[in-house]
Amino acid sequence: MILTVTPNAALDVTWTVDRLVPRASHRVDQVRERAGGKGINVSRVLASLGHATAVTGLAGGPTGRLIRADLRAAGLRDELVPVSGDSRRTLTVVSREDGDATVLNPAGPRIGPAEWDAFTAHYARLVRGADVVVLSGSLPPGLGPGTYAELVRTAAAAGARTVVDTSGPPLLAALDARPDVVKPNAAELAAVTGHDDAHRAAAELRERGAGAVVASLGPDGLLAHTPDGVWRAVPPRPLSGNPTGAGDACVAALAAGLAAGAPWHRTLCEAVALSAAAVVAPVAGDVDASVHRRFRTTVTLVPLEEPDAPHVH
């Protein structure tokens, strides 16, 4: 079973317009609302592929009730822990003309110490039944940067593998707990290491404690530093659409590969194919099955030399 953790669960609202023009009025011709947050999107993709998955995290208020109702409608196992504050609503505006997405993310409700204690007790029970734990997204107010490190250690003590998809100080702090995989994008890599060279930055995160680093490079695919080698994984061709769910689809593939004990080269091809299949789907958490089938056998995998070991101070 793959357990996904979304500390800052959301109701994701997606608006589609013909063309997004700054400082102009727009007619929104399509509106979609669904339970979201990165971990929930990962569980949606996993469930669509037939994997056993459960959703946990924090949700509360009227928006939290909508999130939980949507999880039930989607047939996803709801292990969310209630909080007193109202969960956030995110807004994504997709421009049909060029496929660009503009995303607006509120901070989320403040989490009190008693609420966090209730969550960690519930989480400690859940991880005993998990093969892989995915820890994804931003942290709501009230939770410190060491939150994911704490959750990685709890999972590891229960024998579960871990995938961390976050950024900034929570990502750096998580490395101290030695997660099995971290999945930043190129901008997040540069922000936490100060290196514009993604290859060198990924090597530094491995030296700091990550078992493997799989970095999203947008339409250019993935850069992966793993115990079995270093690769670039490149899709056969770029696709236009809504890229907001591509990273979550990639994480779903990484988690499924860990759970199955698959070799890294196969997992990376699957991750690129699923990411591409998410770009052409209308909302985050969905994938286009036909693109997934086509791309999974046509991804180009290029072995790379490891860069000189960075000096970490």
Side-chain angles (χ1 to χ4, degrees), residues 42-60:
V42 172
S43 277
R44 285 188 190 278
V45 175
L46 288 168
S48 75
L49 299 174
H51 296 283
T53 184
V55 170
T56 193
L58 302 162

Side-chain angles (χ1 to χ4, degrees), residues 103-237:
V103 184
L104 305 173
N105 288 320
R110 177 164 292 277
I111 307 303
E115 292 172 329
W116 183 243
D117 288 345
F119 171 77
T120 55
H122 184 61
Y123 171 78
R125 292 190 292 272
L126 288 173
V127 295
R128 291 198 290 267
D131 298 297
V132 177
V133 177
V134 173
L135 303 152
S136 290
S138 65
L139 297 173
L143 300 186
T147 294
Y148 280 139
E150 174 189 353
L151 299 180
V152 168
R153 292 187 181 99
T154 301
R161 312 287 296 277
T162 50
V163 182
V164 175
D165 181 13
T166 191
S167 60
L171 171 58
L172 283 179
L175 298 176
D176 293 336
R178 308 190 70 82
D180 292 282
V181 184
V182 297
K183 195 220 69 67
N185 61 34
E188 291 162 350
L189 260 183
V192 297
T193 64
H195 300 309
D196 290 331
D197 180 347
H199 195 27
R200 181 172 174 80
E204 179 173 319
L205 292 198
R206 279 211 75 208
E207 183 167 291
R208 285 173 177 258
V213 179
V214 179
S216 300
L217 305 178
D220 295 326
L222 300 174
L223 169 68
H225 281 235
T226 80
D228 296 338
V230 178
W231 291 281
R232 278 284 309 279
V234 184
R237 60 183 176 86

Side-chain angles (χ1 to χ4, degrees), residues 246-312:
D248 301 330
C250 174
V251 171
L254 299 176
L258 276 183
W264 269 106
H265 67 272
R266 187 180 304 160
T267 297
L268 293 172
C269 290
E270 184 74 2
V272 170
L274 264 186
S275 298
V279 169
V280 297
V283 288
D286 286 351
V287 292
D288 184 298
S290 65
V291 170
H292 178 217
R293 284 193 301 271
R294 265 197 331 272
F295 274 38
R296 66 193 311 190
T297 58
T298 54
V299 172
T300 300
L301 205 58
V302 181
L304 302 176
E305 293 292 326
E306 295 201 35
D308 293 335
H311 298 289
V312 178

